[in-house]
Amino acid sequence: MVIPDNNTIYYLPGHGGQLATGLGQGLMDRGFDVTGRETRGDFRALPFDEQVQTIVDDLQSHFWHEQAHVVCNSFGSYLFLHAQAKMPSFIGRVLLLSPIVGEFTSEQTRTSFSPPRPDRLKTLAESGQFNAPVNCEIHVGEEDWQSIPANVQAFGCLTGIPVTVVTNAGHDLGKAYVGPLLDRWLAN
């Protein structure tokens, strides 16, 4: 892991994702150092609870300050949210893109996915026991069959995390939307 400074972003990509491609590359192109956990290889081979604890340790040891930036995409958001559930409210800034918040099924694609502990986030949020990050925002596509906008909006309402539903977008929000979003978010 890179020794972080205020120019370092902690990034958790989607399932099987790398730090230096896609969104990670977009962050580097904007002059930031990117560290975090690739959701493949040795990290992916860990049991889910160990993955979550690793993220808790990373954040509490190296990113526990108000200037910290955390960016998560898809399943990386799911991992972050489970880590957040084990910590006090994270004090840095958090951007969640197309977050997985539980299981999903798509009749259209005949695909379903049930992540580990699929009901935990909803249960904690409904009982008022989820410590939401201090400064967090969520963006999800209106046609996203993996993040399911209604589920993400319900989670946002329960936790106080603002959710933006992106019109005409699916799970991949697209560079035309994410690029300006990153520019705005990173400037604050």
Side-chain angles (χ1 to χ4, degrees):
M1 175 174 292
V2 173
I3 302 300
D5 59 23
N6 288 346
N7 200 45
T8 303
I9 294 174
Y10 189 83
Y11 174 47
L12 293 169
H15 215 307
Q18 301 177 51
L19 297 180
T21 61
L23 184 55
Q25 182 63 54
L27 295 167
M28 289 186 284
D29 289 348
R30 287 165 172 77
F32 290 87
D33 295 321
V34 175
T35 191
R37 297 291 169 174
E38 293 189 341
T39 51
R40 63 190 197 125
D42 292 342
F43 180 77
R44 185 173 175 177
L46 294 172
F48 181 73
D49 289 338
E50 288 183 37
Q51 292 175 2
V52 169
Q53 188 59 51
T54 298
I55 294 165
V56 169
D57 294 344
D58 288 350
L59 294 172
Q60 290 185 327
S61 297
H62 304 292
F63 287 87
W64 204 266
H65 57 90
E66 291 178 357
Q67 292 76 36
H69 288 83
V70 175
V71 176
C72 307
N73 188 44
S74 187
F75 189 73
S77 298
Y78 189 73
L79 289 167
F80 171 82
L81 291 169
H82 276 268
Q84 177 57 82
K86 297 179 74 169
M87 304 183 294
S89 296
F90 183 71
I91 61 174
R93 299 186 66 229
V94 181
L95 179 64
L96 304 178
L97 303 174
S98 303
I100 302 299
V101 295
E103 64 186 340
F104 59 84
T105 301
S106 170
E107 301 281 330
Q108 187 177 25
T109 63
R110 298 180 184 198
T111 305
S112 64
F113 178 68
S114 183
R117 318 250 186 300
D119 298 323
R120 178 146 175 77
L121 297 174
K122 181 179 178 185
T123 300
L124 288 171
E126 287 177 342
S127 66
Q129 296 179 353
F130 184 82
N131 297 325
V134 172
N135 188 342
C136 182
E137 59 185 84
I138 296 174
H139 297 260
V140 63
E142 74 174 343
E143 299 166 9
D144 189 336
W145 58 268
Q146 295 173 59
S147 295
I148 308 177
N151 294 352
V152 174
Q153 287 177 300
F155 181 76
C157 284
L158 290 168
T159 60
I161 300 172
V163 175
T164 300
V165 178
V166 183
T167 57
N168 300 318
H171 196 62
D172 180 347
L173 297 173
K175 288 182 182 180
Y177 180 81
V178 174
L181 169 63
L182 288 177
D183 293 339
R184 175 191 59 79
W185 189 77
L186 292 166
N188 293 326

